[in-house]
Amino acid sequence: MSKIHFDRLAASAIKDTPRRRAIISFFEKSTGAKDPETVWEHLKTKFRRCGLPGVYRNLEQMVNAGILVRVQREGRKRYYGLCPGCGHMHHHHIVCVKCGKIGEMPECTLFKGRTLGGFKIVDHFIQLSGICPECGK
Amino acid sequence: MSKIHFDRLAASAIKDTPRRRAIISFFEKSTGAKDPETVWEHLKTKFRRCGLPGVYRNLEQMVNAGILVRVQREGRKRYYGLCPGCGHMHHHHIVCVKCGKIGEMPECTLFKGRTLGGFKIVDHFIQLSGICPECGK
DNA sequence: AAATAAACAGAAATAATTTCTATTTAGGAG
DNA sequence: CTCCTAAATAGAAATTATTTCTGTTTATTT
């Protein structure tokens, strides 16, 4: 199993804590994006004392650190998963509509510096939904 | 003022009600995307009895009818605005980060039938953020 | 070892959204 | 025109994801 996400954690501005390692391990051992509560349910089995607000905070911090990504799925919850890419360059993700597995679209320069109908494009967000190789079998 | 959205309402599967006309008028008279509560605040000045759940329902129904679009902005609220396009073909929107004005990207065939990293693309969502002509002056 | 900062728990609050039930309204059939 | 049916709606209440707050623990630095 690749330890790339542990490495990223170690290299990041946030601390390398057992809690954060457990979050990474949980994502590595399971498949697909998870909502904060699901992550919490797992952490509670690993740590005697464990709060949901801490999970929310860690997930967001780990997104900022380039370890996780937040993706859009059906419903109004937020979902997170391991960022499969290099963690720093601009890119977008594709989420399997069945299992929530996350892939990525590297090197997106589609809209950089462009203008559309008089609007100067300053940012863009692309979320692809698809069927991952396993679910497509 | 173009009555295109009234026409769309009349042509849609949902009824042409004073409430829905008022929603369209409100969007036509103001600039940019609005959250449900803002729409409600306005409707309360027009109708003596007026409930927020009804506003939520109408906004969603009018999105399904191709009259409105739901767009992403900062924060965790949902935002709606008039769909500037033809209302039926697949397209995406650009939202001014300052005023919330909505433009559109027509004819998006970027991802149709494609595969990305083994994922078969089944849907895509693109949200552009920009500066509209007025705000850019 | 003391000082400092970050991480965290747990409770409580917030706020957006949804559900539910009953009422009103509009349109079509007779 | 009046009854009938379906859609639209209000208003209250519930739900639920998320955030805030305060105090405690843990880790790192000096």
Side-chain angles (χ1 to χ4, degrees):
Chain A
M1 180 199 311
S2 160
K3 287 285 175 286
I4 183 174
H5 297 101
F6 285 154
D7 294 344
R8 258 184 230 166
L9 175 57
S12 73
I14 58 173
K15 286 187 189 171
D16 186 342
T17 68
R19 208 61 61 107
R20 289 178 183 142
R21 283 182 167 257
I23 290 174
I24 292 173
S25 293
F26 176 53
F27 279 117
E28 281 182 344
K29 285 190 214 115
S30 57
T31 294
K34 304 274 185 280
D35 61 284
E37 194 160 359
T38 300
V39 175
W40 184 44
E41 293 299 336
H42 173 78
L43 288 185
K44 280 194 290 190
T45 69
K46 300 279 173 184
F47 301 90
R48 199 154 38 83
R49 309 177 78 241
C50 188
L52 187 53
V55 175
Y56 271 86
R57 189 160 13 86
N58 270 327
L59 291 173
E60 270 309 296
Q61 288 169 333
M62 291 168 79
V63 168
N64 294 336
I67 301 162
L68 303 180
V69 259
R70 183 175 163 194
V71 294
Q72 314 280 322
R73 304 201 75 192
E74 288 297 309
R76 56 178 152 143
K77 287 183 191 174
R78 44 180 63 183
Y79 288 85
Y80 297 88
L82 291 174
C83 181
C86 85
H88 287 302
M89 74 185 191
H90 168 88
H91 62 279
H92 301 288
H93 297 90
I94 182 166
V95 184
C96 179
V97 292
K98 290 191 179 178
C99 71
K101 191 176 298 154
I102 298 171
E104 73 170 7
M105 170 163 71
E107 297 183 71
C108 175
T109 54
L110 283 172
F111 303 111
K112 192 165 177 113
R114 286 183 50 192
T115 291
L116 181 72
F119 285 65
K120 193 166 77 168
I121 300 175
V122 298
D123 197 9
H124 69 275
F125 171 83
I126 299 178
Q127 165 87 59
L128 303 173
S129 305
I131 302 286
C132 76
E134 285 72 26
C135 290
K137 276 175 190 161
Chain B
M1 179 199 310
S2 159
K3 287 285 175 287
I4 182 174
H5 297 102
F6 285 154
D7 293 344
R8 259 183 231 166
L9 175 57
S12 73
I14 58 174
K15 286 187 189 169
D16 185 342
T17 67
R19 208 61 61 102
R20 290 180 183 139
R21 283 181 167 257
I23 290 174
I24 291 174
S25 293
F26 176 52
F27 280 117
E28 280 182 343
K29 285 191 213 113
S30 56
T31 293
K34 305 273 185 281
D35 62 285
E37 194 160 358
T38 300
V39 176
W40 183 45
E41 293 299 336
H42 173 78
L43 288 186
K44 281 194 289 189
T45 69
K46 301 279 172 184
F47 301 90
R48 198 154 38 80
R49 309 178 78 242
C50 188
L52 187 52
V55 176
Y56 272 87
R57 189 160 12 86
N58 269 327
L59 292 172
E60 270 308 296
Q61 288 169 333
M62 291 169 79
V63 168
N64 293 336
I67 301 162
L68 304 179
V69 260
R70 183 174 162 193
V71 294
Q72 313 281 322
R73 304 200 75 192
E74 288 297 311
R76 54 177 154 145
K77 286 183 191 172
R78 44 181 61 183
Y79 289 87
Y80 296 88
L82 290 175
C83 181
C86 84
H88 287 303
M89 74 184 190
H90 169 88
H91 62 277
H92 300 288
H93 298 90
I94 182 164
V95 184
C96 179
V97 293
K98 290 191 180 176
C99 71
K101 191 176 298 155
I102 298 171
E104 74 169 6
M105 169 165 70
E107 297 182 73
C108 173
T109 54
L110 283 172
F111 303 111
K112 192 167 177 108
R114 286 183 50 191
T115 290
L116 181 73
F119 285 64
K120 194 167 76 168
I121 300 174
V122 298
D123 196 12
H124 68 276
F125 170 84
I126 300 178
Q127 165 86 57
L128 303 173
S129 304
I131 303 286
C132 75
E134 285 72 25
C135 290
K137 274 173 189 161

